[in-house]
Amino acid sequence: MAYFAGAARFLLLTAVGITGNPSTADAASASPVSGWRSDLDWAALTSELSSSASLIDTTYDNYKEECFPEFSEPSPTNHALIDQPSGMCLPHLYLGWEMSWPRPSENGHLDQTYDQAAQDLTDGSLESWLVDPTNPSLNLPSKVLFPSIASDVVAAVNFAKEHGLEISVKNSGHSYQGASSKKDTLLLNMNRYTHYAPTGITDCDASILGITVAEDLSSQPCLLSLAKNKSSLIRVGGGENFDKVYRAVIAANEEEGYKYHVVGGGAGTVSPMGWSWQGGLAGSTGGRLDGFGVDQVVQLEMVLPNGVHVKFGPTEWEDVSAKGFIVPRTKVVSGVCRSNPDEHDEENWVWERCPEDFDTDFNDLWFAVRGGGGGTWGVVTSVFLQLHDYLPVTPYFFNLVPSPTEECSAIAPQFAEFKAQYISAPSLLNVTKEHSLACGSADTPSEFWCYGEEDVMQAWTRFLDRNNLTDPANVACLSGFPEIAGYAEGQIYLASNDRMPGKVPDSPAPMTIGPYVAGVLVPQSWFDESEKNRKTIQEYAKNAPYYAFGGATASGSDQANSLSQAHRNAAFMTYFSLEDFWGNLFPQMFDVSDKTNFPPVFGSNHAGFLTAGPLKEDWTKPCPPEWTFEERREKCISFQEAIYGTEQLARLEAIKKAVDPQFIFNCVNCIGNNLPEASKSEDDEPSPAEAEPLLGNSSDEPSGASFVSSFVAAISAAAVYLLIHIM
């Protein structure tokens, strides 16, 4: 995430004189008596809410007064934005406007070109639009509901269904596309929802569970966990972010003697409720040992678009270890419905077989939610996540301690090559496969994190010897911190914001504008094919690679999730220029023989709001930046198709129409958001196709060869033109 960090820190806020502290008014106590859709009986909705829930009117003034000042802080933090009383703040300031462009247009930005948008960012012409409360491009909701229990969510969804409203859903707002904020919607801000994580850890006891899943699915999470040879779980509420999850696990470990590990996001303000559903890259939290975020989900609890409160998860599975998988294959997913949805006290909830007229297929829903993105299938109220056995962690940092030096900077390209070898070609360093898989990193060139036994420093010394860089000062350029207990503890110790002591910090901190584009999932098979391919990566890659792939990310799938096969088969994720990728690399890396089936290409977790595929009529030609957005939507492969591929997207769209026929949940760049309006109301859609088995080689053998320094050439934050011409 560091690759775009500098691109956002414009001085716009200072230039327009927006200063001062966030509003301290108790917005949650306001009464929704006016504002958006004042023709509706909002009092009727309020009467159904719990005493701790609140429904408020919001305006642009809330966004300006509560959110803007944080972007001018010397040490801005998303923790402060999340806690603002209106619940409207977003980690990228421009997400408050459609397509992240504050300049309005008569056609909702569709008559604007990429190049015009880039010019807006550099010539200062946006300043007046940022402070205009009548700007038609504002993309902020005018009603915000803070539910505290599931019955609040049920009431909100039923109200929206009755009155034809759309709902947007927000936890921390970390979506790079702005999927958690939309004008003319009822926003459900889940931040005040019941917190389960502090007391949510369960140790499963096989001796008292039996072997049959209970009818109310109460035993299902533990039985599935035990089938995975794991014994612990944590329940996380729909409004809890990873800071809360990590600190719950830290507290349990400190009390019980370090026994738990959770695979999670790099930033404390990222939420399992968004991160997991897009896949969940866990390069720094042991994902290469334990799988993607989507693979950690054991049971889901949701309020669906039909207003029914359900929970569901696999109830039949089979061992497929002989085929190279480390978890069972899901065969049947079952669900139950809550028969007393108005009951506020969870101890009195009744889970029973769903009524006969309930027509949601839980197999499809399990597939769609896990990988198909958040905010479009309903509202997740809680989730059981897999916990793993604790392993000691050692973070390694290059050119950090005691302070950066010119000597270490001079060998940064060599460190990049070493890191690539250790993770992708460990045999070159006499490193075992097991030690290699224990290490990974986000797209940060100067660090990586290793779990359990590893020999990084020994390998680093061998690498320097082989490259005639034996000066002791070079060895000291790489430092490990084995005294740190875990990833979250390390982040709190090394990078915590002084304004939010004790919390797992942001990554990145709030920025004016977020990433534009998505990274390419470079196939492991293509990368291993030849030395020529490895040198091609050296020549064309534009940033440090994201090392969150291989090992359990391929073999840890239950084969019933919608995370693209490109994720499962990737060696790493990186960025290329449009011309280099579509015209040269894309036909080499991916199977393009079937012109009716565009393959999945991009990583979904970090897909920016301008992500698009090539021309529909010629996949070797990038979508021209001189075209208007309207032309691009009509003539280029869509955001969704570039992420999921044609076949996977078709199945997800069919499930979307079945689960949410009214399109109550219609978030930006989510599944179904790109469908023509006419197709959303069609009733004769075919039923979703059967899931395909996991494709490709599930082997977790890392392979590859030597890289050179150009592999980690970072995207310049100042080069706006370059940024917008990358995917």
Side-chain angles (χ1 to χ4, degrees), residues 434-657:
E434 290 74 19
H435 286 175
S436 172
L437 289 175
C439 299
S441 74
D443 45 1
T444 49
S446 61
E447 68 179 74
F448 64 132
W449 295 70
C450 299
Y451 292 81
E453 295 184 6
E454 41 81 13
D455 57 354
V456 171
M457 291 308 301
Q458 298 93 319
W460 173 236
T461 301
R462 288 194 295 271
F463 175 84
L464 293 174
D465 286 343
R466 293 176 182 178
N467 288 275
N468 298 316
L469 297 167
T470 55
D471 189 323
N474 290 334
V475 177
C477 289
L478 184 62
S479 304
F481 293 83
E483 68 275 10
I484 291 174
Y487 173 79
E489 292 92 329
Q491 290 295 314
I492 292 171
Y493 173 73
L494 295 168
S496 184
N497 190 315
D498 290 340
R499 297 171 57 216
M500 298 288 163
K503 290 190 174 184
V504 181
D506 298 323
S507 179
M511 299 185 297
T512 304
I513 192 167
Y516 292 76
V517 296
V520 172
L521 299 167
V522 176
Q524 183 76 56
S525 59
W526 177 86
F527 182 73
D528 291 343
E529 199 172 79
S530 67
E531 180 68 19
K532 176 184 175 183
N533 290 352
R534 293 187 283 273
K535 289 182 177 179
T536 297
I537 295 294
Q538 298 170 12
E539 179 179 358
Y540 291 111
K542 299 296 183 183
N543 76 304
Y546 207 121
Y547 290 117
F549 306 88
T553 65
S555 60
S557 171
D558 74 340
Q559 303 177 65
N561 58 84
S562 51
L563 188 63
S564 79
Q565 197 58 43
H567 285 80
R568 301 293 182 185
N569 294 340
F572 48 81
M573 184 175 73
T574 193
Y575 293 76
F576 305 98
S577 73
L578 281 170
E579 291 76 12
D580 290 336
F581 179 66
W582 296 118
N584 181 17
L585 301 177
F586 174 61
Q588 297 181 44
M589 292 182 179
F590 298 91
D591 182 2
V592 296
S593 59
D594 182 356
K595 297 306 179 182
T596 66
N597 184 24
F598 191 83
V601 173
F602 293 134
S604 56
N605 274 92
H606 297 88
F609 56 92
L610 294 182
T611 296
L615 295 183
K616 291 179 179 179
E617 64 180 21
D618 186 349
W619 294 352
T620 67
K621 298 290 188 351
C623 199
E626 65 272 14
W627 280 3
T628 66
F629 289 124
E630 187 171 38
E631 290 177 296
R632 292 167 62 81
R633 287 185 177 184
E634 177 186 352
K635 300 176 182 178
C636 301
I637 297 292
S638 71
F639 173 100
Q640 292 90 342
E641 194 167 1
I643 297 289
Y644 295 100
T646 304
E647 290 185 352
Q648 190 91 305
L649 178 60
R651 184 182 180 199
L652 287 169
E653 288 178 344
I655 297 173
K656 170 65 176 177
K657 292 180 182 180

